[in-house]
Amino acid sequence: MLERYKIYSVFDLLLEYYNEGRININREIHKQRTTYHDPCNYGRKSLKTFGHGYFEEGRIITKACAPNFVDMEPNREGNYCCGAGGGAWAMPFKTERVFYGRIKARQIQETGAELVIAPCHNCRDQIKKSLNQEYQLGIEVKYLWELVADSLVLPVKN
Amino acid sequence: MIYEFRVIDLAEEFGVHRNTIRNWIKSGAIPAKEGPGRRYIMDWSDYQRLCEKFGKTPRMPRTGGMQKPAQEQGPPPIKLKAVEGNKFYPDATWADICLTCGTCASACPIAGVDGLDPRKIVRMAALGLTDELVNTDWIWKCTMCAKCEEACPMDVKIVQLIRKIRSMRPRDQVPGPIHKGVVNCLERGNNLGIPKDDFLFLLEDLGNELAEECCPGFSTPVDVRGARILVTVNSKEPFAEPDDMKWWWKIFYATGESWTISSENWEGVNWGLFSGDDEALKTIVGRIVDNMKRLNCEGLLLPE
Ligand code: SF4
Ligand code: SF4
């Protein structure tokens, strides 16, 4: 099955477009300081399960769109979970989820970033809709593909 | 006895933001009342319970007030099943090789909350305390982030163990909507039970909007045979944030990609992974493979 079909994560496809020069990016749109959240499932856990962690792909794309980039500490396989993984975003344990997120909130704050890129639905929701308010981060949060879509110079078609 | 506090002090004590404390008071998670001078008061026993929940030592000792009962009833004795009948024994890497060093607990962002602690989970598994593990909510408060596992010097498969424990919880006792989502997906094709007609109408509508906004000539390709890429969808988007689907569509427009969405079984989020339901997981994946065959696509795009 895996030989017959190619399975794309969002990273694979965005990077394919980028490397093949199929997307034209305006680097002037996202000038604010920007950081990147490593999702556990595509990073640390993918590394362990499949032998490849998606650490660099998301950074290449993010830096291409938002050149004023700074990493959180720790990052990549050492990164902290947003606090909403494994179904926790939907679980009836909100108090615990917000408490869990305190480390993520602090990590973001320490970068001084105004824009946080999250390549996963869950992480984005936790950071944007919960941590941002709870910890008054005052940040903007975008999906990785939202960042690309907002940076696109669209071709003129008829 | 009363515990009096200012929001800022309690926030500092528990390492969260002032807003979080206010929200907890509002939601009743902290049973406190507003007192004079922007201070709050709560029962000392509630404060103590809060400290216990988050694994903190109460900041001030209890003085006076009620006496501790002379004879405290301990928990009932526990029977260990270290080897015989221990469901976690067959794979030594789940628990048996643990050195009890506690590194995992230090790495875990939620260790200490309600007594949750990955080392404890691993040790309980090694000792055969299966029922206790299956019935605790720890395994659902854990996000399966694998931070503990990354830190473990023995490479104990803590996340696999936790998922295994999750899978042993009776399905009707899985907290929150994730099992319901799995059932929805099996019965109705997506986690949130969105009807096919509504979905198709939405796709068309949004496609027209996008064409007007910035992508002239765009229309959403549904069930296009021979498209290069089959795109799966996270059902929360059509359900609650439909405009968010347009970002990907705009990228496809810009790249001239050949892509399509299936009109049925388009769900891309498999909650069986988190609820620990392998059968459902396989069935849902199988449907996507069927779509790939039916529409003769080369590649599959996951929602993240
Ligand atoms: S996987 Fe669970 S137990 Fe381990 S560090 Fe993450 S939240 Fe803690
Ligand atoms: S880090 Fe590994 S070896 Fe140490 S207590 Fe945790 S599971 Fe056991």
Side-chain angles (χ1 to χ4, degrees), chain A residues 5-6 8 10 16-17 22 42 44-45 48 77-78 81 85-86 90-91 93 95-96 98-100 102 121 124-125 129 133-136 143 145-146 149 154 157, chain B residues 14-15 17 19-20 23-24 53 109 114 141 143-145 147 149-150 155 166 177 228 234 236-237 241 244 247-248 250 253 257 293 297-300 302-304:
Chain A
Y5 300 117
K6 185 159 169 45
Y8 286 99
V10 295
E16 185 176 297
Y17 291 155
R22 288 168 75 182
Y42 274 104
R44 190 161 49 224
K45 286 169 80 178
K48 189 143 184 195
E77 59 266 55
C81 171
M91 293 281 170
F93 305 121
T95 316
E96 289 84 346
V98 171
F99 181 77
Y100 192 127
R102 75 202 181 286
H121 284 269
R124 178 264 202 173
D125 283 351
K129 298 176 189 171
Q133 283 79 19
E134 291 276 352
Y135 295 92
Q136 290 191 338
Y143 292 121
W145 54 92
E146 177 182 359
L154 286 171
K157 295 188 189 178
Chain B
F14 289 93
H17 196 273
N19 282 355
T20 305
N23 289 341
W24 286 352
K53 178 174 178 70
D114 294 323
K141 291 175 182 172
T143 65
M144 309 211 284
C145 74
K147 182 86 184 160
E149 212 175 283
E150 217 246 335
D155 210 13
R166 283 189 176 196
R228 188 175 86 97
N234 180 332
K236 85 162 181 195
E237 291 196 329
E241 299 168 331
D244 290 9
W247 290 312
W248 264 114
K250 193 173 158 189
Y253 180 83
E257 184 62 88
K293 283 188 196 148
C297 299
E298 288 169 37
L300 172 73
L302 307 170
E304 43 214 355

Coordinates of all heavy atoms in Angstrom, one line a residue, chain A residues 5-6 8 10 16-17 22 42 44-45 48 77-78 81 85-86 90-91 93 95-96 98-100 102 121 124-125 129 133-136 143 145-146 149 154 157, chain B residues 14-15 17 19-20 23-24 53 109 114 141 143-145 147 149-150 155 166 177 228 234 236-237 241 244 247-248 250 253 257 293 297-300 302-304:
Chain A
Y5 N 0.9 4.2 -3.0 CA 0.5 5.5 -2.8 C 1.5 6.3 -2.0 O 2.1 5.8 -1.1 CB -0.9 5.5 -2.0 CG -2.0 4.8 -2.7 CD1 -2.5 3.7 -2.1 CD2 -2.4 5.2 -3.9 CE1 -3.5 3.0 -2.7 CE2 -3.5 4.6 -4.5 CZ -4.0 3.4 -3.9 OH -5.0 2.8 -4.6
K6 N 1.6 7.6 -2.3 CA 2.5 8.5 -1.5 C 1.6 9.2 -0.5 O 0.6 9.8 -0.8 CB 3.1 9.5 -2.5 CG 4.2 10.3 -1.8 CD 5.1 11.0 -2.8 CE 6.0 12.0 -2.1 NZ 6.6 11.7 -0.8
Y8 N 1.3 12.1 2.0 CA 1.9 13.4 2.3 C 1.4 13.9 3.7 O 0.2 14.0 3.9 CB 1.5 14.5 1.3 CG 2.1 14.3 -0.1 CD1 1.4 13.7 -1.1 CD2 3.3 14.9 -0.3 CE1 2.0 13.6 -2.4 CE2 3.9 14.8 -1.6 CZ 3.2 14.2 -2.6 OH 3.7 14.1 -3.9
V10 N 1.5 17.5 5.8 CA 1.5 18.9 5.3 C 2.9 19.4 5.0 O 3.2 20.2 4.1 CB 0.8 19.9 6.3 CG1 -0.7 19.5 6.4 CG2 1.5 19.9 7.7
E16 N 7.7 20.2 -0.9 CA 7.8 19.8 -2.3 C 7.5 21.0 -3.2 O 8.2 21.3 -4.1 CB 6.8 18.7 -2.6 CG 6.9 18.1 -4.0 CD 5.9 16.9 -4.2 OE1 6.1 15.9 -3.5 OE2 5.0 17.1 -5.0
Y17 N 6.4 21.7 -2.8 CA 6.1 22.9 -3.6 C 7.2 24.0 -3.5 O 7.6 24.6 -4.5 CB 4.8 23.6 -3.0 CG 3.6 22.8 -3.3 CD1 2.5 23.0 -2.4 CD2 3.4 21.9 -4.3 CE1 1.3 22.3 -2.6 CE2 2.3 21.2 -4.5 CZ 1.2 21.4 -3.7 OH 0.0 20.7 -3.9
R22 N 7.3 26.1 -6.8 CA 5.9 26.2 -7.3 C 5.1 27.3 -6.5 O 4.0 27.6 -6.8 CB 5.2 24.9 -7.2 CG 5.7 23.9 -8.3 CD 5.2 22.5 -8.1 NE 3.8 22.4 -8.4 CZ 3.2 21.2 -8.3 NH1 3.8 20.2 -7.8 NH2 1.9 21.1 -8.6
Y42 N 4.5 14.8 15.2 CA 5.3 14.9 14.0 C 6.8 15.0 14.3 O 7.6 14.8 13.4 CB 4.8 16.0 13.0 CG 3.7 15.5 12.1 CD1 2.4 15.9 12.4 CD2 4.0 14.7 11.1 CE1 1.4 15.4 11.6 CE2 3.0 14.2 10.3 CZ 1.7 14.6 10.5 OH 0.7 14.1 9.7
R44 N 9.1 14.4 17.9 CA 9.6 13.4 18.8 C 9.0 12.0 18.5 O 9.7 11.0 18.4 CB 9.3 13.8 20.2 CG 9.9 13.1 21.3 CD 9.9 13.9 22.6 NE 8.6 14.4 22.9 CZ 8.4 15.7 23.3 NH1 9.4 16.5 23.5 NH2 7.2 16.1 23.6
K45 N 7.7 11.9 18.4 CA 7.1 10.6 18.3 C 7.3 10.0 16.9 O 7.5 8.8 16.8 CB 5.6 10.7 18.6 CG 5.4 10.9 20.1 CD 4.0 11.2 20.5 CE 3.0 10.0 20.5 NZ 1.7 10.5 20.9
K48 N 10.7 8.5 16.7 CA 10.8 7.2 17.4 C 10.1 6.1 16.6 O 10.6 5.0 16.5 CB 10.3 7.3 18.8 CG 10.6 6.1 19.6 CD 10.9 6.5 21.1 CE 11.3 5.2 21.8 NZ 11.2 5.4 23.2
E77 N 13.4 17.7 19.4 CA 12.9 16.5 20.2 C 12.8 16.8 21.7 O 12.2 16.1 22.4 CB 13.7 15.3 19.9 CG 15.2 15.4 20.2 CD 16.0 15.8 19.0 OE1 15.7 16.8 18.3 OE2 17.0 15.1 18.7
G78 N 13.3 18.0 22.1 CA 13.3 18.3 23.5 C 12.1 19.2 23.8 O 11.9 19.7 24.9
C81 N 5.3 19.8 25.0 CA 3.9 19.7 24.4 C 3.1 20.9 24.8 O 3.3 21.5 25.8 CB 3.3 18.4 25.1 SG 1.5 18.2 24.7
G85 N -2.4 17.6 23.6 CA -2.3 16.5 22.7 C -3.0 15.2 23.2 O -3.6 15.2 24.3
G86 N -2.9 14.2 22.4 CA -3.5 12.9 22.8 C -5.0 12.9 23.1 O -5.5 12.1 23.8
A90 N -10.0 17.8 23.8 CA -11.5 17.5 23.9 C -11.9 17.0 25.2 O -13.0 16.8 25.5 CB -11.8 16.6 22.8
M91 N -10.9 16.7 26.1 CA -11.2 16.0 27.4 C -11.8 16.9 28.4 O -11.6 18.1 28.3 CB -9.9 15.4 28.0 CG -9.3 14.3 27.2 SD -10.1 12.8 27.5 CE -9.2 11.8 26.2
F93 N -11.0 17.8 31.1 CA -10.0 18.2 32.2 C -9.3 19.5 31.9 O -8.1 19.6 31.7 CB -8.9 17.1 32.3 CG -9.5 15.7 32.5 CD1 -9.3 14.7 31.6 CD2 -10.3 15.4 33.6 CE1 -9.9 13.4 31.8 CE2 -10.9 14.2 33.9 CZ -10.6 13.2 33.0
T95 N -8.9 22.3 33.6 CA -8.0 22.9 34.6 C -6.6 22.3 34.4 O -5.6 23.0 34.4 CB -8.5 22.5 36.0 OG1 -9.9 22.7 36.0 CG2 -7.9 23.3 37.1
E96 N -6.6 21.0 34.2 CA -5.3 20.3 34.1 C -4.6 20.7 32.8 O -3.4 20.9 32.7 CB -5.5 18.8 34.1 CG -5.9 18.2 35.4 CD -7.4 18.3 35.7 OE1 -8.1 19.0 35.0 OE2 -7.9 17.6 36.7
V98 N -4.9 23.6 31.1 CA -4.3 24.9 31.2 C -3.0 24.9 32.1 O -2.0 25.6 31.8 CB -5.4 25.9 31.8 CG1 -4.7 27.2 32.1 CG2 -6.5 26.0 30.8
F99 N -3.1 24.2 33.2 CA -1.9 24.1 34.0 C -0.7 23.5 33.2 O 0.4 24.0 33.3 CB -2.2 23.2 35.2 CG -1.1 23.1 36.2 CD1 -0.7 24.1 37.1 CD2 -0.3 21.9 36.2 CE1 0.3 23.9 37.9 CE2 0.8 21.7 37.1 CZ 1.1 22.8 37.9
Y100 N -1.0 22.4 32.5 CA 0.0 21.8 31.7 C 0.6 22.8 30.7 O 1.9 22.8 30.5 CB -0.7 20.6 30.9 CG 0.2 19.7 30.1 CD1 0.1 18.3 30.3 CD2 1.2 20.1 29.3 CE1 0.9 17.4 29.7 CE2 2.0 19.2 28.6 CZ 1.9 17.9 28.8 OH 2.7 17.0 28.2
R102 N 1.4 25.8 31.0 CA 2.1 26.9 31.5 C 3.6 26.9 31.0 O 4.2 28.0 30.8 CB 2.1 26.9 33.1 CG 3.0 25.8 33.7 CD 2.6 25.4 35.1 NE 3.5 24.4 35.6 CZ 3.5 23.1 35.3 NH1 2.7 22.7 34.4 NH2 4.4 22.3 35.8
H121 N -3.4 20.9 14.2 CA -4.7 21.5 14.5 C -4.9 21.7 16.0 O -5.3 22.7 16.5 CB -5.8 20.6 14.0 CG -6.1 20.8 12.5 ND1 -6.9 21.7 12.0 CD2 -5.5 20.2 11.5 CE1 -6.9 21.6 10.7 NE2 -6.0 20.7 10.3
R124 N -2.4 24.3 17.6 CA -2.9 25.6 17.2 C -4.1 26.1 18.1 O -4.1 27.2 18.6 CB -3.2 25.6 15.7 CG -3.7 27.0 15.2 CD -5.3 26.9 15.2 NE -5.8 27.9 14.3 CZ -7.1 28.0 14.0 NH1 -8.0 27.2 14.6 NH2 -7.5 29.0 13.2
D125 N -5.0 25.2 18.3 CA -6.2 25.5 19.1 C -5.8 25.8 20.5 O -6.2 26.8 21.1 CB -7.2 24.4 19.0 CG -8.0 24.4 17.7 OD1 -7.8 25.4 17.0 OD2 -8.8 23.5 17.5
K129 N -6.4 29.6 21.3 CA -7.7 29.8 21.9 C -7.6 29.7 23.4 O -8.5 30.1 24.1 CB -8.7 28.8 21.4 CG -9.0 29.0 19.9 CD -9.9 28.0 19.4 CE -10.0 28.0 17.9 NZ -10.8 26.8 17.4
Q133 N -5.0 33.5 25.8 CA -5.9 34.3 26.7 C -5.4 34.1 28.2 O -5.2 35.0 28.9 CB -7.3 33.9 26.6 CG -8.0 34.5 25.4 CD -7.7 33.7 24.1 OE1 -7.2 32.6 24.2 NE2 -7.9 34.3 22.9
E134 N -5.3 32.8 28.5 CA -5.0 32.5 29.9 C -3.7 33.2 30.4 O -3.6 33.6 31.5 CB -4.8 31.0 30.1 CG -6.1 30.2 29.9 CD -7.0 30.1 31.2 OE1 -6.5 30.6 32.2 OE2 -8.1 29.6 31.1
Y135 N -2.7 33.2 29.6 CA -1.4 33.7 30.0 C -1.1 35.0 29.4 O 0.0 35.5 29.4 CB -0.3 32.7 29.7 CG -0.5 31.4 30.5 CD1 -1.2 30.3 30.0 CD2 0.1 31.3 31.7 CE1 -1.3 29.1 30.7 CE2 -0.1 30.1 32.5 CZ -0.8 29.0 32.0 OH -1.0 27.9 32.7
Q136 N -2.1 35.7 28.8 CA -2.0 37.0 28.2 C -0.7 37.1 27.3 O 0.1 38.0 27.6 CB -2.0 38.1 29.3 CG -3.4 38.2 29.9 CD -3.5 39.4 30.8 OE1 -2.6 39.9 31.3 NE2 -4.8 39.8 31.0
Y143 N -1.5 28.5 11.5 CA -1.1 27.2 11.0 C 0.1 27.4 10.0 O 0.2 28.5 9.4 CB -2.2 26.6 10.1 CG -3.4 26.1 10.9 CD1 -4.7 26.6 10.5 CD2 -3.3 25.1 11.8 CE1 -5.8 26.2 11.2 CE2 -4.5 24.7 12.5 CZ -5.7 25.2 12.1 OH -6.9 24.8 12.8
W145 N 0.4 26.2 7.0 CA -0.2 26.4 5.7 C -0.9 27.7 5.6 O -1.0 28.3 4.5 CB -1.0 25.2 5.3 CG -2.2 24.9 6.2 CD1 -3.4 25.4 6.2 CD2 -2.1 24.0 7.3 NE1 -4.2 24.8 7.2 CE2 -3.4 24.0 7.9 CE3 -1.1 23.2 7.9 CZ2 -3.6 23.2 9.1 CZ3 -1.4 22.4 9.0 CH2 -2.6 22.4 9.6
E146 N -1.4 28.2 6.7 CA -2.0 29.5 6.8 C -0.9 30.6 6.5 O -1.2 31.6 5.8 CB -2.7 29.8 8.1 CG -3.3 31.1 8.3 CD -3.9 31.2 9.8 OE1 -3.8 30.3 10.5 OE2 -4.4 32.3 10.0
A149 N -0.2 30.5 2.9 CA -1.3 31.0 2.1 C -1.3 32.6 2.2 O -1.6 33.3 1.2 CB -2.7 30.4 2.5
L154 N 0.0 35.4 -5.7 CA -0.9 34.5 -6.6 C -0.6 34.8 -8.1 O -0.3 35.9 -8.5 CB -2.3 34.8 -6.3 CG -2.9 34.2 -5.0 CD1 -4.3 34.7 -4.7 CD2 -2.8 32.6 -5.0
K157 N -4.2 34.4 -13.5 CA -4.8 33.5 -14.4 C -6.0 34.1 -15.1 O -6.6 35.0 -14.6 CB -5.2 32.2 -13.7 CG -4.1 31.4 -13.0 CD -4.7 30.1 -12.5 CE -3.6 29.4 -11.6 NZ -4.0 28.2 -11.0
Chain B
F14 N 1.2 28.5 42.1 CA 1.0 27.4 41.2 C 1.6 27.5 39.8 O 1.4 26.6 39.0 CB -0.5 27.1 41.1 CG -1.1 26.6 42.4 CD1 -1.6 27.5 43.4 CD2 -1.0 25.3 42.7 CE1 -2.1 27.0 44.6 CE2 -1.5 24.8 43.9 CZ -2.1 25.7 44.9
G15 N 2.3 28.6 39.6 CA 3.0 28.7 38.4 C 2.1 29.0 37.2 O 2.5 28.6 36.0
H17 N -1.0 31.7 35.2 CA -1.2 33.2 35.1 C -2.4 33.6 36.0 O -3.2 32.8 36.4 CB -1.6 33.5 33.6 CG -1.5 34.9 33.2 ND1 -2.6 35.8 33.4 CD2 -0.5 35.6 32.7 CE1 -2.2 37.0 33.0 NE2 -1.0 36.9 32.6
N19 N -4.9 35.2 35.2 CA -6.2 34.9 34.5 C -6.7 33.5 34.8 O -7.8 33.3 34.9 CB -6.0 35.0 33.0 CG -6.0 36.5 32.5 OD1 -6.3 37.4 33.3 ND2 -5.8 36.7 31.3
T20 N -5.7 32.6 34.8 CA -6.0 31.2 35.0 C -6.7 31.1 36.4 O -7.7 30.4 36.5 CB -4.7 30.4 34.9 OG1 -4.2 30.7 33.6 CG2 -5.0 28.9 35.0
N23 N -10.1 32.4 36.2 CA -11.0 31.5 35.5 C -11.3 30.3 36.4 O -12.5 29.8 36.3 CB -10.3 31.0 34.2 CG -10.3 32.1 33.2 OD1 -11.0 33.1 33.3 ND2 -9.4 32.0 32.2
W24 N -10.4 29.8 37.1 CA -10.6 28.7 38.0 C -11.6 29.1 39.1 O -12.5 28.3 39.5 CB -9.3 28.2 38.6 CG -8.5 27.4 37.6 CD1 -8.9 27.1 36.3 CD2 -7.2 26.9 37.8 NE1 -7.8 26.4 35.7 CE2 -6.8 26.3 36.6 CE3 -6.2 27.0 38.8 CZ2 -5.5 25.7 36.4 CZ3 -5.0 26.4 38.7 CH2 -4.6 25.8 37.5
K53 N -3.8 18.4 44.7 CA -4.1 18.2 43.2 C -2.8 18.5 42.4 O -2.5 17.8 41.5 CB -5.3 19.0 42.8 CG -5.6 18.8 41.3 CD -6.8 19.6 40.9 CE -7.1 19.5 39.5 NZ -7.5 18.1 39.0
P109 N 5.4 17.4 32.1 CA 4.9 18.7 32.5 C 3.7 18.6 33.4 O 3.3 19.6 34.0 CB 4.5 19.4 31.2 CG 5.2 18.6 30.1 CD 5.3 17.2 30.7
D114 N -2.9 15.7 40.6 CA -3.7 14.5 41.0 C -2.9 13.3 41.2 O -3.4 12.2 40.9 CB -4.8 14.3 40.0 CG -5.8 15.5 40.0 OD1 -6.1 16.0 41.0 OD2 -6.3 15.8 38.9
K141 N -5.3 12.4 31.2 CA -4.8 13.7 31.4 C -3.4 13.9 30.8 O -3.0 15.0 30.4 CB -4.7 14.1 32.9 CG -6.1 14.2 33.5 CD -6.1 14.4 35.0 CE -7.5 14.5 35.5 NZ -7.6 14.5 36.9
T143 N -0.8 13.7 27.9 CA -1.1 14.0 26.5 C -0.4 13.1 25.5 O -0.3 13.3 24.3 CB -0.7 15.5 26.1 OG1 0.7 15.6 26.3 CG2 -1.4 16.5 27.1
M144 N 0.2 12.1 26.0 CA 1.0 11.1 25.2 C 2.1 11.9 24.4 O 2.3 11.5 23.3 CB 0.1 10.3 24.3 CG -1.0 9.6 25.1 SD -1.6 8.0 24.5 CE -2.5 8.5 23.0
C145 N 2.7 12.9 25.1 CA 3.7 13.7 24.4 C 5.0 13.1 24.2 O 5.9 13.5 23.4 CB 3.8 15.0 25.1 SG 4.8 14.9 26.7
K147 N 7.6 13.1 26.2 CA 8.7 13.8 26.8 C 9.4 12.9 27.8 O 10.6 12.9 27.9 CB 8.2 15.1 27.4 CG 9.2 16.0 28.1 CD 9.8 16.9 27.1 CE 10.9 17.7 27.8 NZ 11.9 18.3 26.9
E149 N 9.4 9.6 27.8 CA 10.1 8.6 27.1 C 11.4 9.0 26.5 O 12.4 8.3 26.5 CB 9.2 8.1 25.9 CG 9.3 6.7 25.6 CD 8.3 6.2 24.6 OE1 7.1 6.1 25.0 OE2 8.7 6.1 23.4
E150 N 11.4 10.2 26.0 CA 12.7 10.8 25.4 C 13.7 10.9 26.5 O 14.9 10.7 26.2 CB 12.3 12.2 24.9 CG 13.1 12.5 23.6 CD 14.1 13.6 23.8 OE1 13.9 14.4 24.7 OE2 15.0 13.6 23.0
D155 N 14.8 3.6 27.8 CA 13.9 3.5 26.7 C 12.7 2.7 26.9 O 12.2 1.9 26.1 CB 14.7 2.9 25.5 CG 14.2 3.4 24.1 OD1 13.5 4.4 24.2 OD2 14.5 2.8 23.1
R166 N -5.2 2.8 27.9 CA -6.4 3.5 27.4 C -7.3 2.5 26.7 O -8.5 2.5 26.8 CB -6.0 4.6 26.4 CG -5.5 5.9 27.1 CD -5.3 7.0 26.1 NE -4.9 8.3 26.7 CZ -5.0 9.5 26.1 NH1 -5.5 9.5 24.9 NH2 -4.7 10.5 26.8
P177 N -15.4 13.4 24.3 CA -16.1 13.0 23.1 C -15.3 12.1 22.1 O -15.7 11.8 21.1 CB -16.3 14.3 22.4 CG -15.2 15.2 22.8 CD -14.7 14.8 24.2
R228 N -4.3 14.0 -8.8 CA -3.0 13.5 -8.2 C -3.2 13.3 -6.7 O -2.7 12.3 -6.2 CB -1.9 14.5 -8.5 CG -0.5 14.0 -8.1 CD 0.6 15.0 -8.5 NE 0.9 16.0 -7.5 CZ 1.8 15.9 -6.5 NH1 2.6 14.8 -6.5 NH2 2.0 16.9 -5.7
N234 N -10.1 17.7 8.4 CA -10.4 17.7 9.8 C -11.8 18.2 10.0 O -12.1 19.3 9.8 CB -9.3 18.5 10.6 CG -9.5 18.5 12.1 OD1 -10.6 18.4 12.6 ND2 -8.5 18.8 12.8
K236 N -13.5 19.3 12.3 CA -13.8 20.6 13.0 C -13.8 21.8 12.1 O -14.5 22.8 12.4 CB -12.7 20.8 14.1 CG -11.5 21.5 13.6 CD -10.6 22.1 14.6 CE -9.5 22.8 13.9 NZ -8.3 23.1 14.7
E237 N -13.2 21.7 10.9 CA -13.2 22.8 10.0 C -14.5 23.1 9.4 O -15.1 24.1 9.6 CB -12.0 22.7 9.0 CG -10.7 22.9 9.7 CD -9.5 23.2 8.8 OE1 -9.5 22.8 7.7 OE2 -8.6 24.0 9.2
E241 N -15.1 26.0 11.7 CA -14.2 27.0 11.1 C -14.0 26.8 9.6 O -12.9 26.6 9.1 CB -12.8 27.0 11.8 CG -12.9 27.2 13.3 CD -11.7 26.9 14.1 OE1 -10.9 26.0 13.6 OE2 -11.4 27.5 15.1
D244 N -11.3 28.3 7.3 CA -9.9 27.8 7.4 C -9.5 26.8 6.3 O -8.3 26.6 6.1 CB -9.7 27.2 8.8 CG -9.8 28.2 9.9 OD1 -10.1 29.3 9.6 OD2 -9.5 27.8 11.1
W247 N -7.3 28.1 3.1 CA -5.8 28.4 3.0 C -5.2 27.3 2.1 O -4.4 27.6 1.2 CB -5.2 28.4 4.4 CG -5.6 29.6 5.1 CD1 -5.6 30.9 4.7 CD2 -6.1 29.7 6.5 NE1 -6.0 31.7 5.7 CE2 -6.3 31.0 6.8 CE3 -6.3 28.7 7.5 CZ2 -6.8 31.4 8.0 CZ3 -6.8 29.1 8.7 CH2 -7.0 30.5 9.0
W248 N -5.5 26.1 2.3 CA -4.9 25.0 1.5 C -5.4 25.2 0.0 O -4.6 25.0 -0.9 CB -5.3 23.6 2.0 CG -4.2 23.0 2.9 CD1 -4.3 22.7 4.2 CD2 -2.9 22.7 2.4 NE1 -3.1 22.2 4.6 CE2 -2.2 22.2 3.6 CE3 -2.2 22.7 1.2 CZ2 -0.9 21.7 3.5 CZ3 -0.9 22.3 1.2 CH2 -0.2 21.8 2.3
K250 N -6.2 27.8 -1.5 CA -5.5 28.9 -2.2 C -4.1 28.4 -2.6 O -3.6 28.8 -3.7 CB -5.3 30.0 -1.2 CG -4.9 31.3 -1.7 CD -5.0 32.4 -0.6 CE -4.1 33.6 -0.9 NZ -4.0 34.5 0.2
Y253 N -4.4 26.3 -5.7 CA -4.7 27.2 -6.8 C -3.4 27.8 -7.3 O -3.1 27.8 -8.5 CB -5.6 28.3 -6.4 CG -6.0 29.3 -7.4 CD1 -7.0 29.1 -8.3 CD2 -5.3 30.6 -7.5 CE1 -7.4 30.0 -9.3 CE2 -5.7 31.5 -8.5 CZ -6.7 31.2 -9.4 OH -7.0 32.1 -10.3
E257 N -2.1 22.6 -8.6 CA -2.2 21.2 -8.2 C -3.4 20.5 -8.7 O -4.5 21.2 -8.8 CB -2.1 21.1 -6.6 CG -2.1 19.7 -6.1 CD -0.9 18.9 -6.5 OE1 0.2 19.0 -5.8 OE2 -0.9 18.3 -7.5
K293 N -8.4 4.2 -4.2 CA -8.6 3.3 -5.3 C -9.7 3.8 -6.2 O -9.6 3.9 -7.4 CB -8.9 1.9 -4.8 CG -7.8 1.2 -4.2 CD -8.2 -0.3 -3.9 CE -7.2 -0.9 -3.0 NZ -7.8 -1.9 -2.1
C297 N -6.2 8.1 -7.2 CA -5.3 9.1 -6.9 C -3.9 8.6 -6.6 O -3.8 7.4 -6.3 CB -5.7 9.9 -5.6 SG -7.4 10.7 -5.8
E298 N -2.9 9.4 -6.7 CA -1.5 8.9 -6.5 C -1.1 9.2 -5.0 O -0.3 8.4 -4.5 CB -0.5 9.7 -7.4 CG -0.5 9.3 -8.8 CD 0.3 10.3 -9.6 OE1 1.3 10.7 -9.2 OE2 -0.1 10.6 -10.8
G299 N -1.5 10.3 -4.5 CA -1.0 10.7 -3.2 C -2.2 11.1 -2.3 O -3.3 11.4 -2.7
L300 N -1.9 11.0 -1.0 CA -2.9 11.3 0.0 C -2.3 12.4 0.9 O -1.2 12.3 1.5 CB -3.2 10.1 0.9 CG -4.1 10.3 2.1 CD1 -5.5 10.5 1.6 CD2 -4.0 9.1 3.0
L302 N -2.7 14.3 4.4 CA -3.3 14.3 5.8 C -3.6 15.7 6.2 O -3.0 16.6 5.7 CB -2.3 13.6 6.7 CG -1.8 12.2 6.2 CD1 -0.7 11.7 7.1 CD2 -3.0 11.2 6.2
P303 N -4.5 15.9 7.2 CA -4.8 17.2 7.6 C -3.7 18.0 8.3 O -3.8 19.2 8.5 CB -6.0 17.0 8.6 CG -6.4 15.6 8.5 CD -5.2 14.9 8.0
E304 N -2.7 17.3 8.8 CA -1.6 18.0 9.4 C -0.3 17.3 9.1 O -0.3 16.3 8.4 CB -1.8 18.2 10.9 CG -2.3 17.0 11.6 CD -3.2 17.3 12.7 OE1 -3.5 18.5 13.1 OE2 -3.8 16.4 13.3

